[in-house]
Amino acid sequence: MTTLSPRTASPVGSATDREARLSRLILLARASLAAERVLPALWPALGFAGLYFAAALSGLYTFIPWTLQALLLAAAITAIGLSLDSGFAGFAWPYWKDGARRLEEQSGLKHRPISEGKDRLIGEDPFARELWRLHQARNLALEKLQVGFPAPDLASRDPRHLRYGVLLLLAASLVIAGAQWRTRLLRAFDSGAGLAVTLDAWVDPPAYTGVPPLYLAPGDSNVIAVPAGSILNLRAHNATHAPGLSLGGALGLSTPPRFAGDNGEYADTARIVADARARVRAGGHVIGDWRLRAIPDLAPVISFDSVPSATERQAMKISIRASDDYGVVGAKLVLTPHGRTGPPLSVDLPIPAGKSVTQTNFVDLTAHPYAGLMVDGHLEARDATGQVGKSRAITFRLPARVFTDPLARALIEQRQNLATSVDAAGRKLVATALDAFAIAPDQFYADKPGLYMGLRAAYWGTRGARSAEDIAHVEDLLWQMAVSLEQNGLLDAAAELRRLQQAITQALAQHAPQDVIDQLLKKYGDAMQKYEQALANNPDQKKQQQMQDQNSKTITQKDIDDLLKEIQRLSQAGQREQAAQMMAMLQNMMENLRMSQGGQGGQGGQSQQGKALNDAIQKFSDMMGKERSLLDKTMRQKNGNGDPKDGGTQGLQGQQKSLRDQLNATLQGMDPKLRDKMGAAGSAMDQAQQALGQKNLDNAGNAEKNALAALRQGADALAKEAQGQNGTEQKKDADPLGRNRIGTGESTKVPALSDLARAREILQELRKRAGERGRPQQELDYYDRLLKEF
């Protein structure tokens, strides 16, 4: 084995450094070659791009329309693409060997020592290998190696030297653009339409929610909650072309919405049924971006407030509670026979529309075949979208008409059997019973041929029934015969009252015109009189009088009329929910009404003195309203805002004199004590009249205030005396419904007659002032806020 001496061994470290440096130089040589090949291939593509950017920097695209700019952009892109395709045809990236040859040529190495560096010596002689390595090291003077700068042959691609013209044009355009160079370069690819477009965006919630429209600010980054089913409205202005709308999320749309319009005005709408993100673009700019969260409409909730019960007239009292996030629009009671077969019975319950409803309804089901049976009942509430909420089912007995005639009771029993029989066997048993009822007509129906013919018609109708309509016809015939055997008139009158009460409640809930409600209230009053007459003629009246509680309260016809008038006033004042509650209270009273001994229930009269007092109270109430109006005119005259129609202080003096004369006429014939109490009012009116004659508006205003206070005190005194007169007809501290005015606690106070008159007077005055639009806006806003409280 041959061993090399230390003098002939090559230092490994220095050789490694030389190889690393050589690799870096070759890489630079390859990059230089790549530049020489790429730069000529980029011409004339760079020239076309330079011309387009020079036009942008010079501001050309600010003056030409976007259509022409788009054509120029398309032409430039096309020219650049074709030029690049032509220039890079046959292009090859320089390899290692190309870089080595470039380094040898630039360094003046004639015998290719670098490119030969990858050659391998044949054989395994270590001495030969070491000599080959020394040979390579001596041939490479690394400090003399040069890469050289790229020398692209642009002249062959641009023999006319147009590249210098493009550079000069770019430089001149850059000077012209100045500080706006960024904006103009962006304008080269943008129409600029998005910068001038304005966008109006808002959400219209469904009408049934009662939620006002919601305006969407363009920069709002918050999650915006809207009711499901809302409509997103978009209006774009000053747009050169239709903006684009992208919708993220499931909006439940079959096709994406698109802006439509012309002349710079474009509109679009979208229905929001789920969470979504709406983004509007115009001219490449985002002009609107919102994240919308759809709030689902919940199903309504309904429950029984108490177990349905029977009234004195055997109607069913149903108290319910219902609620919904946006409002309940309908409710019904569904009944099915308990433990027996039979179709369900659905009863609509009129309720006032609202988010939270507490309502009592009276339903007469005594004419239905299920009357008297145990039934399973549940409530159903419906909202504006058709969603239905159900209550838990309860079992109770339906109120039934009490029939005293044996045949009537038997007919009702067979009617129930027929209604709950779903097979032919059940109907056959009913037909057999009806056939038995008609035995011996000469003995039992000699003077009642109509009843006998009805029995036979029911028998044959039952045997020949083929459909539900046939069964219903027989059931109706049996009911008519049973009722004909009992008392007449009372049932129809009570049913008419219930029907009108439901119609009034429904009209109040649906915000019907006031004249419609007034007509229904008048019909209700007429039906009430018929009901009282039928109640007085009831054959069972004597028995009811004997069973009547000695502590029961009595009411008069005037009490009922007052309640009807109060319902009408509440409706006119916009308090229709309170009017509906009072209507239900009146119907509750009617359901439990009994005639008093002597048949005066509802017809009780009023003493002449009491009537005179009430008339006087009404007159004093009117005078207070006129005096208050005169005080207001005086204050306006004092502030320089008087109405020329008032005639100045002289005209106001005449109005005060007219009120004084009216007061004197009212006091004639009254109790001397009451006239003395009104003396202060008359003196104050005289002082006001005198001050107005002297044009002393300050003293006139003070005197008018004193007159107003004195009139109020006198009216209160008359009201107390009127209550004393009515004490002979109903208990002291009892209202027209027989309830204690004090209630269950001393803090509860039922308004007196003067208080009600005063409230009506204030409401009328507020409405009058709010209608005078010539008043200052701040004052009108104040009146509007007060009216909302009423």
Side-chain angles (χ1 to χ4, degrees), residues 341-481:
T341 58
L345 169 61
S346 180
V347 181
D348 291 329
L349 303 176
I351 60 173
K355 293 184 178 180
S356 180
V357 176
T358 300
Q359 178 75 5
T360 299
N361 290 282
F362 295 91
V363 181
D364 184 9
L365 296 178
T366 55
H368 195 272
Y370 293 167
L373 297 178
M374 295 296 294
V375 294
D376 297 324
H378 70 271
L379 296 168
E380 294 183 2
R382 187 181 73 259
D383 62 11
T385 61
Q387 297 185 100
V388 176
K390 298 182 180 181
S391 70
R392 65 179 183 87
I394 62 175
T395 302
F396 59 95
R397 185 177 298 277
L398 278 183
R401 173 78 171 85
V402 178
F403 289 91
T404 58
D405 186 87
L407 180 56
R409 291 199 302 269
L411 292 176
I412 294 300
E413 180 182 2
Q414 296 305 317
R415 184 170 178 255
Q416 291 177 346
N417 295 335
L418 182 61
T420 56
S421 299
V422 295
D423 54 2
R427 291 195 294 269
K428 183 177 181 180
L429 292 176
V430 174
T432 302
L434 293 176
D435 189 27
F437 293 160
I439 293 177
D442 54 343
Q443 182 178 356
F444 297 106
Y445 305 107
D447 55 347
K448 299 178 181 179
L451 182 59
Y452 175 76
M453 295 299 296
L455 287 173
R456 300 312 294 168
Y459 166 73
W460 290 111
T462 304
R463 288 196 57 179
R466 295 292 183 271
S467 63
E469 289 75 11
D470 297 336
I471 298 297
H473 175 72
V474 176
E475 291 172 353
D476 185 59
L477 180 58
L478 293 176
W479 172 256
Q480 293 178 10
M481 288 190 295

Side-chain angles (χ1 to χ4, degrees), residues 56-315:
L57 290 172
S58 64
L60 175 64
Y61 302 143
T62 307
F63 305 101
I64 65 175
W66 164 246
T67 306
L68 181 57
Q69 178 185 347
L71 291 175
L72 292 176
L73 178 60
I77 293 175
T78 302
I80 291 171
L82 293 175
S83 299
L84 292 176
D85 181 70
S86 174
F88 282 93
F91 175 82
W93 192 259
Y95 296 100
W96 182 91
K97 188 173 183 179
D98 297 328
R101 289 294 300 153
R102 170 61 181 258
L103 186 59
E104 290 171 344
E105 292 175 357
Q106 293 292 325
S107 302
L109 300 177
K110 298 179 180 180
H111 302 291
R112 301 175 60 184
I114 298 176
S115 58
E116 290 178 354
K118 296 297 182 179
D119 293 345
R120 292 293 181 265
L121 184 65
I122 300 176
E124 299 296 333
D125 186 1
F127 184 76
R129 288 181 176 275
E130 185 66 21
L131 288 177
W132 175 250
R133 188 177 302 166
L134 290 174
H135 169 72
Q136 288 180 324
R138 289 173 181 174
N139 289 336
L140 293 177
L142 296 179
E143 58 276 2
K144 297 180 180 180
L145 295 180
Q146 297 180 359
V147 176
F149 291 98
D153 186 13
L154 291 176
S156 61
R157 296 282 293 178
D158 181 23
R160 300 181 182 276
H161 304 287
L162 297 177
R163 57 189 179 279
Y164 300 111
V166 173
L167 287 175
L168 182 61
L169 188 60
L170 274 174
S173 301
L174 187 60
V175 173
I176 295 173
Q180 298 182 356
W181 66 273
R182 288 189 179 88
T183 303
R184 293 190 177 184
L185 284 179
L186 291 175
R187 186 67 183 271
F189 304 97
D190 182 12
S191 66
L195 301 176
V197 175
T198 58
L199 180 66
D200 294 331
W202 71 95
V203 174
D204 284 329
Y208 69 86
T209 63
V211 178
L214 178 63
Y215 176 75
L216 302 180
D220 193 351
S221 59
N222 298 321
V223 177
I224 303 171
V226 296
S230 300
I231 302 299
L232 173 63
N233 299 273
L234 301 171
R235 298 292 185 272
H237 312 284
N238 304 322
T240 57
H241 56 281
L245 173 62
S246 61
L247 299 171
L251 292 189
L253 302 174
S254 57
T255 56
R258 298 180 182 275
F259 278 88
D262 53 13
N263 298 327
E265 301 294 325
Y266 294 89
D268 196 1
T269 59
R271 185 180 182 86
I272 305 170
V273 296
D275 296 348
R277 183 171 185 175
R279 181 176 297 172
V280 183
R281 293 180 178 272
H285 295 273
V286 177
I287 59 176
D289 188 2
W290 304 278
R291 289 180 295 168
L292 305 174
R293 181 168 64 88
I295 303 175
D297 188 2
L298 302 178
V301 178
I302 190 170
S303 62
F304 288 97
D305 200 15
S306 61
V307 178
S309 58
T311 66
E312 290 289 337
R313 302 273 75 82
Q314 300 306 318

